[in-house]
């Protein structure tokens, strides 16, 4: 029960099966062991208080994990007893939880997190306690989408065993690569992930889930190349299909993994989603006898490995590493001022500038007298990990206060450097801090300090660093490659003789420590060297460059500097370079180098008049080239690259040009977001970049908001409404459906939409359908968005769509989440709800979808989606191999429930009539021009797909306009010269349905059958509630008296003759245009005849008053399906209609049927007309053999051969005998 006293659904909480179905869980484990598994995981993937808290089941976490472990161990014991030669083991499954430390769920505050490091660690400790007490043999931290979560789990493992004093269990660590970008959901590459968790001393490190073996191999190969220990891989049974299942059978799955084995890549191998015991058995059989992956040789001198979103491996060939100092309160006055003023966005610009200047590592220091360093460090680190250009680099967490350092380490998923610790407080504290660095997986800077103070001389530097190294290696086995010594760069040329050797002493100390302490790195704060010359930036930069020129070859491989600020050694003028080298090396022929340097510095400070700049200089960088583009190009560049510096001026330029602020958003800004969606879909952008782009969009929309609010205010005043009511672009309700506790993707969508001025109502996770719909009504939302990660969520989404339909909802429904797909949405969801269902591929596209759903082009947009989804659905069922069928009897019982109280009235006219040479001018008013352009392959893109919007399309608009003018000119000529004639036959007759067929009677007495229209019923099992046949829309015999209308018409009389004339004169283009217009006239004539049937001939809708657009969008009552097409795909029915209407006689042979039941002239249309208000267009789709047999029998045929021939392979759902 939740806080409001409402019962919480436990659907989807599969870990509870350990309590409710223990024997089943144990037997499943046993099946996998018998299939060949050496190790099985416990059923505890969501066994933390955080994940179980979503179900209000956090109090049973310990028991859940203990019991889950005991059940698996019992299965292992039973199988081991049967097969003692092959002992079985149990891994305690530790999942990633439903929350993330690396992504913010807040629109307004990217530094906000809905879980803390400490909360996550304690949740994992509780889980590990239960698993350990249950007897697991090892722990499996798996399906890692956020490395920081995994680091918290690793920390919790150490924490638990340290608290209890028990022997540490082996740990397996498994990442999940979400797609072909090769990155985790939080943005890390597999190499960066490995580096980040390397400190865990894992039993194995590998990859599982998300991908199939074929897709996973290249990423696994990368991991196996870098991992010096054992590797594992347990992929899914291929990629998820559109229905949320997996298609690889055991043989294919095993064959894909055999490819790994034959390449010698495997130590441990298994299966994840979609893999059954049969898959495991197949793998075990396939790889048996293949060579085991040989562990790489351990390097004699391992090198430092760091990571952000990407790895940073410091090999001897890596060169010098620039550590950016501009986010150090002691290194940048500008940064300190911004932090003091809480201007975090501008502070981030300082950080980004270092990245642009090619910093390799970023230093962050918030030590200040009036700033809470711990709070500031935590906030800025959480901001930085959401900024992709920053997060890709390793971080150096810099503070003299240990709690500040710890706070930084709790926020960063990559492998950091701690700067710094030392022996100053004594050995015990020094070792305690070093141990914590190891537990966080951080490298560490060791300052050359001891209990007596700072090392200034060569001898002290070497002594203290060697002592520190020995303590770390002997007491903690600290990895030597993760040690960085800072031997104290001190200020030279102060005028005091004892300071003169500080530079060369540092250089020589580095060389000696490197010789005696293998594998270590060296750093130093260059600014200290030249501190005496503050204000003389060019001179100081020259000193730093010369210092590096001599220190780097001795072993200095990183330093805190202002990246991009140093001149090249060869670019320093000879005089300055010589003076710098003398003072740094403390060496000159006359020994007066310090005096000379001080004199030179004075000259630089007070140069003679007309003198040029000394010690470097030069012009700043030219203005960015992208700033020279159009405002559209500039806006797109800014959005894609996440640059908001110029966004206000570029948006203003767009506003001035487009006049209407909303047009700026719907035009260039939304186009830019579309580009981002394409890049994200192509794997060229990853999640943090999308969020950053959304925040630039937010700033752009924020600039336009006052203008839009003023427009709305004036409109509200004019309408007599409250002008001060909040104004949003729209209201979007979002929820993770019942049974699902995953909401990371949903939260990101919320960020993107919030940044675009949409009011987002986030209902959280595990939200029941009723609550979603009640809140939607209460908040008057414009769009509902459903999210889900697990497969059962798909069924819940279908239920929500069904309920929305049942309750008469009209707003569009967005669908998203890892298991969802466009295909599943088209097949399972779209048919359930008429208000519009749209699958949203990723967060970057949510904005364009919502914008389209709320724009003036909403109807056109949703109709485009409906058309696309119908094609996908038809294609899916047509190509489905393992089809499920309703029997004909079952399908007939599931026909739609029709209200026969609404049976249409008796027609004003009953019988047949001929419409001869109807005026073309009137028919032309009903032309649908959109298909006309498609004849010429002119297709605009939404929102410019249909006529007349196609004329605005950038690609085809100009040509379409030209063609339209030619067509209008020819149409005028056709009317004036009577080139074409339009004629038709219409009939209305009494009828009733008998089963799936329609009996048409000779008179209203209904005692003699004139003919029978035979029907085919939907039969392919598509999970629908109804299976439709066209007879369903006619009142059954004995229930009510009903009628059916039919017609055949042409707009092409005279077309063949005129076409021949055009061909004789070589005017082929005119001949084609004439035929295209004749087709349009035939369709328009059909529209007009149907209108006359509804309003006058039958008059079942006499008061209808619809525009042409309404008619074309089928907003009239009833339907007019054509025989031989989707509602009844048997063209032979056309002959029945022909005879009923007596067309050959009434048309005097001008309308005819061929032997294959095609109509002549070619520009002709025929249809049956159903008048009931519940009648709707549908497609029969495919039918099974039982229906074909029954249908043939009703038609009086001896066998099915004729029916099979006329229906063809597209309608038959089976192979003909």
């Amino acid at each position: 029960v939740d806080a409001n006293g409402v019962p919480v659904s436990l659907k989807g909480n599969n870990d509870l099966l350990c309590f409710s179905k223990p024997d089943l869980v144990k037997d499943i484990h046993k099946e996998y062991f018998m299939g060949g598994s050496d190790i099985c995981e416990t059923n505890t993937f969501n066994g933390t208080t955080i994940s179980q808290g979503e179900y209000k089941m956090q109090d049973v976490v310990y028991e859940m994990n203990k019991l889950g472990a005991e059940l698996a161990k019992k299965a292992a014991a039973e199988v081991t007893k049967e097969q003692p030669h092959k002992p079985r083991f149990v891994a305690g499954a530790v999942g990633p939880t439903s929350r993330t430390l690396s992504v913010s769920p807040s629109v307004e505050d990217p530094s906000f997190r809905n879980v803390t490091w400490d909360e996550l660690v304690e949740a994992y400790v509780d889980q590990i306690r239960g698993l350990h007490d249950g007897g697991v043999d090892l722990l499996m931290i798996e399906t890692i989408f956020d490395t920081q979560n995994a680091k918290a789990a690793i920390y919790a493992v150490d924490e638990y065993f340290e608290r209890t004093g028990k022997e540490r269990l082996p740990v397996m660590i498994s990442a999940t690569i979400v797609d072909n970008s090769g990155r985790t959901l939080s943005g890390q590459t597999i190499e960066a992930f490995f580096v980040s968790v390397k400190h865990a001393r894992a039993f194995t490190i590998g990859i599982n889930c998300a991908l199939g073996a074929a897709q996973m191999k290249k990423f696994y190969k990368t991991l196996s190349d870098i991992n010096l220990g054992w590797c594992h891989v347990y992929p899914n049974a291929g990629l998820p299909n559109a229905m949320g299942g997996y298609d690889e059978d055991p043989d294919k799955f095993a064959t894909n993994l055999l490819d790994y084995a034959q390449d010698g890549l495997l130590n441990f191998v298994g299966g994840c989603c979609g893999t059954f015991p049969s898959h495991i058995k197949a793998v075990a059989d396939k790889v048996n006898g293949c060579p085991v992956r040989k562990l790489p040789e351990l390097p004699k001198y391992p090198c430092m490995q760091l990571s952000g979103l990407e790895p940073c491996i410091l090999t001897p060939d890596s060169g010098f590493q620039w550590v950016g100092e501009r986010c150090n309160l002691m290194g940048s006055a500008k940064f300190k001022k911004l932090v003091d003023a809480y201007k975090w966005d501008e502070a981030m610009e300082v950080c980004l500038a270092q990245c642009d200047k090619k910093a390799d590592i970023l230093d962050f220091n918030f030590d200040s007298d009036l700033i809470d360093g711990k709070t500031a460090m935590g906030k800025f680190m959480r901001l930085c990990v959401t900024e992709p250009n920053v997060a890709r680099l390793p971080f150096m967490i810099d503070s003299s206060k240990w709690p500040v350092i710890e706070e930084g380490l709790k926020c960063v998923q990559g492998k950091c450097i701690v700067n710094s610790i030392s022996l100053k407080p004594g050995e015990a504290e020094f070792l305690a801090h070093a141990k914590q660095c190891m537990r966080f997986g951080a490298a560490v800077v060791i300052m050359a300090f001891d209990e007596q103070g700072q090392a200034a001389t060569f001898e002290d530097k070497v002594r203290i660093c060697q002592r520190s190294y020995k303590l770390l290696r002997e007491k903690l086995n600290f990895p030597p490659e993760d040690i960085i010594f800072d031997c104290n760069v001190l200020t030279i040329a102060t005028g005091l003789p004892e300071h003169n050797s500080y530079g060369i002493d540092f250089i020589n100390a580095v060389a000696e420590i490197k010789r005696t302490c293998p594998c270590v790195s060296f750093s130093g704060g260059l600014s200290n060297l030249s501190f005496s010359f503050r204000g003389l930036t060019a001179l100081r930069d020259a000193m730093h460059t010369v210092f590096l020129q001599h220190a780097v070859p001795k072993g200095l491989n990183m330093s805190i500097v202002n990246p991009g600020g140093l001149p090249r050694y060869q670019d320093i003028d000879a005089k300055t370079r010589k003076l710098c080298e003398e003072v740094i090396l403390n060496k000159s022929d006359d020994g007066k180098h310090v005096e000379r340097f001080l004199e030179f510095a004075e000259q630089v400070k007070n140069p003679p008049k007309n003198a040029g700049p000394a010690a470097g200089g030069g012009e700043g960088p030219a203005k960015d080239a992208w700033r020279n583009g159009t405002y559209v190009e500039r806006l797109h560049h800014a959005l894609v690259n996440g640059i908001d510096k110029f966004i206000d001026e570029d948006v203003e330029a767009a506003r001035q040009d487009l006049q209407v602020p909303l047009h700026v958003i719907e035009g260039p800004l939304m186009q830019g977001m579309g580009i981002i969606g394409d890049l994200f879909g192509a794997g060229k952008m990853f999640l943090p970049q999308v969020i950053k782009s959304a925040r630039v969009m937010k700033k752009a929309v924020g600039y336009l908001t006052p203008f839009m609010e003023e427009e709305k205010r004036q409109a509200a005043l004019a309408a007599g409404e409250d002008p001060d009511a909040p104004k949003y672009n729209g209201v979007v309700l979002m929820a993770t459906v019942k049974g699902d506790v995953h909401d990371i993707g949903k939260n990101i969508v919320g960020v993107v939409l919030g940044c675009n001025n949409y009011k987002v109502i986030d209902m959280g996770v595990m939200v029941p359908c009723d609550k979603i719909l009640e809140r939607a009504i209460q908040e008057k939302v414009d769009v509902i968005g459903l999210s889900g990660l697990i497969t059962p969520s798909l069924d819940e989404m279908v239920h929500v769509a069904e309920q929305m339909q049942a309750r008469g909802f009209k707003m569009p429904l967005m669908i998203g989440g890892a298991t969802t797909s466009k295909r599943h949405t088209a097949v399972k969801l779209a048919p359930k709800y008429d208000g519009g269902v749209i699958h949203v591929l990723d967060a970057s596209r949510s904005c364009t979808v919502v914008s389209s759903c709320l724009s003036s082009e909403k109807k056109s947009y949703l109709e485009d989606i409906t058309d696309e989804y119908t094609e996908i659905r038809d294609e899916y069922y047509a190509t489905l191999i393992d089809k499920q069928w309703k029997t004909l009897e079952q399908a007939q019982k599931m026909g739609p429930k029709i209200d026969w109280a609404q049976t249409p009235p008796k027609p004003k006219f009953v019988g047949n009539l001929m419409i001869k040479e109807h005026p073309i001018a009137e028919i032309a008013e009903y032309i649908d021009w959109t298909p006309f352009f498609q004849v010429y392959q002119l297709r605009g893109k939404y929102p410019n797909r249909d006529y007349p919007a196609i004329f605005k399309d950038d690609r085809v608009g100009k040509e379409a306009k030209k063609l339209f003018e030619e067509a209008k000119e020819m149409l005028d000529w056709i009317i004036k010269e009577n080139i074409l004639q339009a004629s038709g036959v219409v009939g209305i007759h009494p009828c009733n349905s008998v089963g799936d067929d329609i009996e048409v009677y000779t008179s209203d007495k209904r005692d003699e059958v004139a003919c029978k229209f035979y029907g085919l019923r939907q039969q392919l099992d598509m999970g629908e509630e109804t299976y439709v046949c066209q007879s369903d829309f006619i009142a059954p015999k004995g229930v009510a008296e009903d009628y059916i209308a039919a017609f055949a018409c042409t707009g092409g009389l005279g077309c063949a003759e005129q076409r021949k004339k055009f061909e004789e004169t070589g005017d082929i283009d005119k001949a084609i245009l004439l035929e295209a217009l004749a087709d349009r006239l035939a369709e328009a004539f059909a529209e007009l005849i149907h209108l006359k049937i509804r309003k006058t001939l039958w008059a079942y809708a006499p008061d209808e008053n619809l525009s042409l657009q309404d008619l074309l969008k089928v907003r009239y009552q009833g339907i007019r399906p054509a025989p031989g097409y989707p509602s009844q795909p048997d063209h032979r029915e056309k002959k029945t209609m022909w005879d009923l209407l007596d067309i050959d006689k009434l048309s005097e042979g001008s309308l005819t049927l061929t032997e294959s039941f095609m109509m002549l002239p070619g520009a002709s249309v025929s249809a049956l007309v159903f008048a009931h208000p519940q009648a709707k267009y549908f497609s029969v789709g495919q039918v099974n053999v039982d229906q074909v047999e029954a249908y043939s029998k009703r038609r009086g045929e001896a066998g099915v051969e004729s029916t099979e021939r006329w229906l063809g392979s597209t309608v038959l759902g089976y192979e003909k005998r």
Side-chain angles (χ1 to χ4, degrees), residues 51 116 312 323 327 338 436 530 753 897 989:
S51 293
T116 67
C312 176
V323 182
C327 291
L338 294 171
Q436 277 294 84
S530 60
L753 293 175
K897 302 297 184 284
H989 296 271

Side-chain angles (χ1 to χ4, degrees), residues 95-106:
T97 82
S98 55
R99 302 194 180 181
T100 169
L101 288 169
S102 295
V103 179
S104 170
S106 168

Side-chain angles (χ1 to χ4, degrees), residues 371-587:
I371 291 177
D372 181 348
K374 182 178 177 180
T375 301
M377 176 68 80
K379 183 176 183 68
F380 201 65
M381 288 300 93
R382 291 190 293 273
L383 284 170
C384 286
V385 297
T386 63
E387 170 51 63
N389 282 338
V390 173
R392 66 182 176 85
L393 300 177
F395 291 0
M396 181 177 279
I397 311 299
D398 187 352
S399 179
S400 58
K401 303 171 184 177
W402 183 251
V404 176
I405 287 175
E406 272 196 321
E407 183 67 17
L409 291 172
K410 292 176 180 179
C411 300
V412 183
Q413 65 176 329
K415 180 174 180 179
C416 301
I417 299 172
V418 166
N419 186 12
S420 59
I421 63 173
S422 75
L423 284 165
K424 186 176 181 179
E427 285 188 6
E429 188 171 318
F430 169 71
L431 290 172
H433 289 164
K435 185 177 180 179
Q436 277 294 84
C437 290
M438 290 178 68
R439 289 184 61 184
F440 278 104
V444 64
V445 175
I446 310 294
M447 295 296 296
F449 282 76
D450 65 6
E451 297 84 345
Q452 281 69 51
Q454 183 181 50
T457 65
F458 166 79
E459 292 77 15
D460 284 346
K461 294 176 192 292
V462 172
R463 175 180 56 81
I464 293 174
C465 289
Q466 288 176 340
R467 178 187 170 199
S468 300
Y469 183 84
K470 185 177 181 182
L471 284 169
L472 292 173
R473 297 291 294 126
E474 293 180 356
K475 298 287 186 180
L476 300 178
N477 193 25
F478 198 100
E481 67 272 20
D482 285 345
I483 298 172
I484 306 165
F485 284 120
D486 185 333
C487 304
N488 303 330
V489 177
L490 302 175
T491 306
I492 61 173
T494 62
L496 297 175
E498 59 267 31
H499 296 170
N500 292 350
S501 65
Y502 281 172
I504 188 60
D505 280 354
F506 178 94
I507 294 170
N508 290 336
V510 166
E512 178 61 15
I513 297 165
K514 181 179 176 66
R515 185 183 68 82
T516 57
C517 302
C519 306
V520 301
S521 293
F522 294 89
S523 179
L526 285 186
S527 59
N528 291 340
L529 183 79
S530 60
F531 192 71
S532 294
F533 307 103
R534 285 172 294 174
L536 302 181
T537 303
L539 179 60
R540 295 187 71 182
D541 289 344
M543 291 178 69
H544 300 160
T545 295
V546 172
F547 180 79
L548 292 176
Q549 180 70 16
H550 293 275
V552 169
K554 298 293 186 179
L556 182 68
N557 56 346
M558 65 181 69
S559 185
I560 299 176
V561 295
N562 178 10
L566 297 185
R568 293 187 302 173
Y569 180 79
Q570 57 268 36
D571 290 343
I572 302 171
D573 67 273
K575 178 182 178 181
T576 303
R577 189 167 64 234
K578 183 174 186 296
L579 290 171
C580 289
E581 286 187 320
E582 287 180 342
V583 76
I584 288 167
L585 300 178
N586 194 28
K587 181 180 178 181

Side-chain angles (χ1 to χ4, degrees), residues 298-369:
L298 293 175
K300 185 176 181 180
Y301 298 109
C303 58
M304 178 178 288
Q305 298 179 343
L306 305 171
S307 64
L309 296 182
E310 297 167 6
C312 176
I313 313 297
L314 274 63
T315 67
D317 299 326
S318 297
F320 186 77
Q321 303 297 300
W322 301 91
V323 182
E325 67 171 351
R326 308 315 290 172
C327 291
N328 186 322
L329 297 188
M330 297 182 290
S332 170
K334 178 181 179 181
F335 185 73
K336 184 177 187 301
K337 185 177 180 181
L338 294 171
V339 173
D340 276 333
Y342 301 99
K343 295 183 178 180
W344 298 106
D345 289 344
E346 293 182 48
M348 183 59 70
E349 290 183 10
V350 175
C351 190
L352 281 165
Q354 299 181 103
C355 301
D356 294 339
K357 293 178 180 179
K358 307 304 180 185
D360 299 298
I361 300 166
L362 298 175
D363 179 82
F364 300 93
N365 183 296
F366 292 89
D367 290 354
S368 180
D369 52 353

Side-chain angles (χ1 to χ4, degrees), residues 1122-1171:
Y1125 291 92
S1127 296
Q1128 214 309 13
D1130 188 346
H1131 281 276
R1132 293 177 295 178
E1133 292 293 288
K1134 218 174 290 173
K1135 181 67 168 64
T1136 304
M1137 183 190 71
W1138 218 259
D1139 293 341
L1140 175 67
L1141 299 184
D1142 204 7
I1143 293 175
D1144 287 337
K1145 179 180 178 181
L1146 292 176
S1147 71
E1148 298 175 342
S1150 60
L1151 275 166
T1152 60
L1153 279 181
T1154 67
E1155 290 183 358
S1156 57
F1157 305 109
M1158 295 296 103
M1159 293 180 289
L1160 293 177
S1164 299
V1165 176
S1166 66
L1168 298 175
V1169 177
F1170 298 79

